[in-house]
Each structure stands twice: as C-alpha cells, then as structure tokens.
Amino acid sequence: MVLGGNIVQMEATLEAKRQGYYVISADLHEDNPGHKVADEYCKVDIVDKEAVLREARRLNIDGIVPYSSDTLAPIAAYVAEEMGLPGNPYKAVCTLTHKDLFRKFLTDNGFSAPWSDSFTNLDEAIIYFRKKGKEGGKAIMKPVDSAGSRGVFAITSKEELKEHWEESLSYSICGRVIVEQFIEKVGHQLDGDIFLDNGKIIFAGFCDQHHVAGKSSLVPVSLSFPSELSREMKQKAVDELQKIFSLLGMKTGPCNVEFVVGKDGEIYFLDLGPRNGGCNIPYLEQAATGFNENTYTIRAAVGDKLPKRDKVLCDNAKYVMYYRPYANENGRYKELWMSEYFRNKVINITHLMNIGDEIQLTHNGNDTVAVVFAKFDNQQEMLETIDNMSAHLRVITE
C-alpha cells in the first residue's frame, strides 16, 4: 500500500509496478495521478491511523510506504507494527517526526542540539523567546510536525513572533509550535537521504542546500550533489546518525536528513524524516550515484532481500542538482522559460503545476511550479549556474 497518490508519491507506485508488485494507492483524492497507475485504489483518510489500519487489514497488505511525507510516516509505522509488517518502531518514528520530541531525545542522549521548547500558547512562546533569545537575537519558529518549509520563520523580535504565530500554528496537525535557537552554520545546510538495512546505514547521500535570497531565505530552492562538505565531516555525520538510529531501534528504510555544522565544529541535526526526501530527492541521488533508493524502499517495505552495497559514502558521484523555480509575482502560470545553455543540461522535469494555474509570490514549499534536474561536467560550473539561475530559468506569469 502506497499512502498518497500525488505526482511525487506516484514515483513509489511506479517503482513498485516496475518490480512486479501489486500496488494499492490510498488517499481521499480520487483524481490523484498515482491511483491511475496503481492496480487498485483505496479511498481512505490517510492521516487517520485507525482507518488506514482497518483498510490494510481488509486488503491483507504485505507492506506500506509513506513516500516523501513526514505526516504519513507515523501512520505507516503504526500499521506495520500492528500487523507485524516490516518497518520501524511507531514510538521511534513519532520521536523523529515531532521536532520537540526529537530535540529532547538529542539533548537527553548527549547530541548537539539548539535550545528549544514547544508551545500551544502565544504568550508563553513570547516569554520563552525573550528569555532565551535576549530580544534582538535570532530564533527559528516552526510547526513541530510539518515539513517542506511550511510555517517556518526566522524570528528576531516578539513582534515578528506574534506576526507569524498563527500561520506557523496552522501547519501543525497537533497544534504545537517550536521556538528554537538559530544555529550559525559554517558552509551550506546539508540535505539528503540515508538508507537503513538491518539497523545499519548502507547508503548516505549528502547534498548542499541553496536558498531564496531575502525574505524567504529559509526556503531551499536547490540541492546540489555532491556536497562540498569534507569527507571527514560526512563520515562524522554518518557515525552520529548510526548512534541515533541504534538508540531509537530503527531498522529499515529511507530517512531524509537535514543538518548544519556549527561554528563550534559540531553537527546539529535539524530534521530526520523517516521517509524518502521530498521533491524527488531519490531521483537526484540516483542520477548522481547510481543508488536506486526507490527500489530499496519498495523491497524493504515488504521485507524482500536488498541488493548488497560495499560503500556507504559515494566518492565518485556525478555533478547533479535540482532547482525549484518560483514566480516573482502573483498571477497565472504561463511558461517555464529556459536558456539554451541550461536546457542542454536538463535531464528531467517533474511538473507540479499546470499552465494557467494561479501562482503566488514565493512564500513556502507550496509555491514551486516544478522540480528541474540538471547534470554538469564539474562542481564549479554547477554552482555558478545555481548562483545565476535567473539568467537560465524563470517562471513567466500573466
């Protein structure tokens, strides 16, 4: 069973079909494209774990995949645990998908972590921020159980906290917002997917994040592979991640990782999402390294034997990036314009909006029109293209 049938989640269904599995695509949206390529459609509220469990038992499934969704990861873990299917402990998955629980876990177990606390009340959040942030300092406010840069804001004053509180809270399913220390990083923020088999990390693909300048600087628009982070620090990140997964009892499947290296030289894990990375990160990493994460994801979900791997880190990766183009003004989506140079570098495009759709100025991860993948001859060329993307890729509105 694949939870969700949107254009990105459809990748899991397509991969399962390629491998010869019978696929049930599940959610409430009957017109989602994933349902059209599945063998069967199950209409169910996929954020209701008991409803999904009832349907999973009725259909006698052999595995369940929450592709590219932090919200759905606990649902899949719950169903797998209740039915004795391959998966990870429900409690561990809930810890990873709730930022306040994850920060507490890190602190309790001696990992580097920002100061943080979660709130349901604005006044309490303001008191905490003024105490910790020293008014004029910088903090991050975000929903404890959301992803994709939705409801995430940099806060430097109580006025900014008040201004963004309701929006941040609106993205939280459980109705909690976390206020935490802004970590001054060295280099890029890191992103990417790792993969577990029998409790051990067998693959780690780390990318550099690139962000929209200015007001929406917390929204990543691009990932580039391989990361410029040193191999020594990549290995340190793998070692720390292995400790985390071992303590939590995590056993199998993908996990999306976001972290920074602080000015103190320590690694700060910001998010560990027990699912495949969004915006088709598995495709990016396959194009760069040859590791087919989707194949491993489907096989792990049903407990089939996984292909052997010799190395966790990939030393000879190709230079591949993705870019998420945004509009610079409100209007209707008319065209995705590309320069001839960039068009010759493009290897794949995942379209997320249709021509004629209403589009808004960049605000969060919902506003992108596509995910554009491109391959380069060297890292310098790739990074220079990203830095000057406005000359090569633009969203035209009318």
Side-chain angles (χ1 to χ4, degrees), residues 166-184:
E166 289 297 333
E167 181 174 355
S168 190
L169 189 65
S170 72
Y171 285 105
S172 173
I173 295 173
C174 67
R176 294 201 308 275
V177 166
I178 192 170
V179 177
E180 66 181 25
Q181 178 186 5
F182 177 83
I183 302 297
E184 294 288 347

Side-chain angles (χ1 to χ4, degrees), residues 2-3 8-9 11-13 15 64-73 76 88 147-148 191-196 203 223 252-258 272-283 285 291-301:
V2 175
L3 298 180
V8 173
Q9 292 159 335
E11 291 298 321
T13 297
E15 179 59 32
I64 185 166
V65 175
Y67 197 78
S68 188
S69 172
D70 279 337
T71 302
L72 300 179
N88 293 303
D191 201 333
D193 284 1
I194 63 92
F195 205 93
L196 286 167
F203 171 81
L223 294 185
T252 186
C255 186
N256 181 246
V257 177
E258 292 192 48
L272 297 186
R275 41 78 180 178
N276 309 84
C279 293
N280 213 351
I281 286 178
Y283 177 85
E285 297 192 332
F291 176 69
N292 191 333
E293 183 181 326
N294 287 344
T295 295
Y296 279 72
T297 297
I298 299 302
R299 293 183 67 85

Side-chain angles (χ1 to χ4, degrees), residues 210-211 221-224 319-324 337-346 372-394:
H210 307 267
H211 296 79
V221 295
S222 180
L223 294 185
S224 61
Y319 302 101
V320 185
M321 53 78 80
Y322 80 46
Y323 199 91
R324 301 162 60 189
W337 176 88
M338 297 183 198
S339 68
E340 184 177 356
Y341 158 79
F342 187 67
R343 190 180 299 277
N344 290 329
K345 299 293 182 181
V346 171
V372 183
F373 299 84
K375 185 182 293 186
F376 298 84
D377 295 328
N378 56 70
Q379 196 158 43
Q380 181 179 351
E381 180 190 17
M382 177 173 64
L383 297 179
E384 287 179 353
T385 301
I386 293 172
D387 288 341
N388 297 281
M389 190 57 76
S390 61
H392 300 296
L393 185 66
R394 292 197 292 272

Side-chain angles (χ1 to χ4, degrees), residues 104-349:
K104 185 178 186 303
F105 166 84
L106 291 174
T107 302
D108 289 349
N109 288 282
F111 296 97
S112 298
W115 49 254
S116 66
D117 204 350
S118 61
F119 304 91
T120 59
N121 179 274
L122 172 60
D123 292 335
E124 292 176 359
I126 291 173
I127 292 170
Y128 179 79
F129 169 72
R130 296 188 70 172
K131 177 183 176 182
K132 289 288 191 177
K134 306 297 184 186
E135 190 69 31
K138 193 172 184 180
I140 298 294
M141 180 173 71
K142 52 190 172 183
V144 302
D145 53 353
S146 183
S149 303
R150 297 172 181 85
V152 181
F153 298 96
I155 302 298
T156 59
S157 67
K158 69 175 183 179
E159 285 75 24
E160 288 182 342
L161 196 154
K162 290 172 67 175
E163 177 186 354
H164 299 299
W165 171 264
E166 289 297 333
E167 181 174 355
S168 190
L169 189 65
S170 72
Y171 285 105
S172 173
I173 295 173
C174 67
R176 294 201 308 275
V177 166
I178 192 170
V179 177
E180 66 181 25
Q181 178 186 5
F182 177 83
I183 302 297
E184 294 288 347
K185 66 182 186 295
V186 176
H188 293 282
Q189 182 165 318
L190 281 295
D191 201 333
D193 284 1
I194 63 92
F195 205 93
L196 286 167
D197 183 25
N198 291 321
K200 301 296 182 183
I201 297 175
I202 61 170
F203 171 81
F206 299 133
C207 315
D208 289 333
Q209 278 192 6
H210 307 267
H211 296 79
V212 174
K215 192 172 183 180
S216 300
S217 61
L218 295 177
V219 178
V221 295
S222 180
L223 294 185
S224 61
F225 200 104
S227 169
E228 293 184 288
L229 189 69
S230 71
R231 197 181 197 285
E232 177 186 8
M233 289 304 294
K234 289 176 184 176
Q235 187 59 56
K236 182 177 179 179
V238 170
D239 293 342
E240 292 285 282
L241 285 166
Q242 186 63 68
K243 292 177 186 176
I244 290 172
F245 294 134
S246 296
L247 286 168
L248 288 169
M250 298 286 286
K251 297 298 182 185
T252 186
C255 186
N256 181 246
V257 177
E258 292 192 48
F259 67 93
V260 296
V261 177
K263 291 187 175 180
D264 57 2
E266 296 298 320
I267 290 175
Y268 291 82
F269 293 106
L270 306 180
D271 286 295
L272 297 186
R275 41 78 180 178
N276 309 84
C279 293
N280 213 351
I281 286 178
Y283 177 85
L284 173 72
E285 297 192 332
Q286 183 180 359
T289 71
F291 176 69
N292 191 333
E293 183 181 326
N294 287 344
T295 295
Y296 279 72
T297 297
I298 299 302
R299 293 183 67 85
V302 296
D304 283 349
K305 188 175 181 180
L306 301 181
K308 292 291 185 182
R309 286 188 54 80
D310 297 325
K311 293 183 178 181
V312 173
L313 294 170
C314 302
D315 294 317
N316 298 307
K318 297 179 175 64
Y319 302 101
V320 185
M321 53 78 80
Y322 80 46
Y323 199 91
R324 301 162 60 189
Y326 293 87
N328 291 317
E329 58 184 4
N330 297 339
R332 289 186 180 276
Y333 179 29
K334 181 180 180 181
E335 177 188 357
L336 184 60
W337 176 88
M338 297 183 198
S339 68
E340 184 177 356
Y341 158 79
F342 187 67
R343 190 180 299 277
N344 290 329
K345 299 293 182 181
V346 171
I347 57 174
N348 189 42
I349 303 177

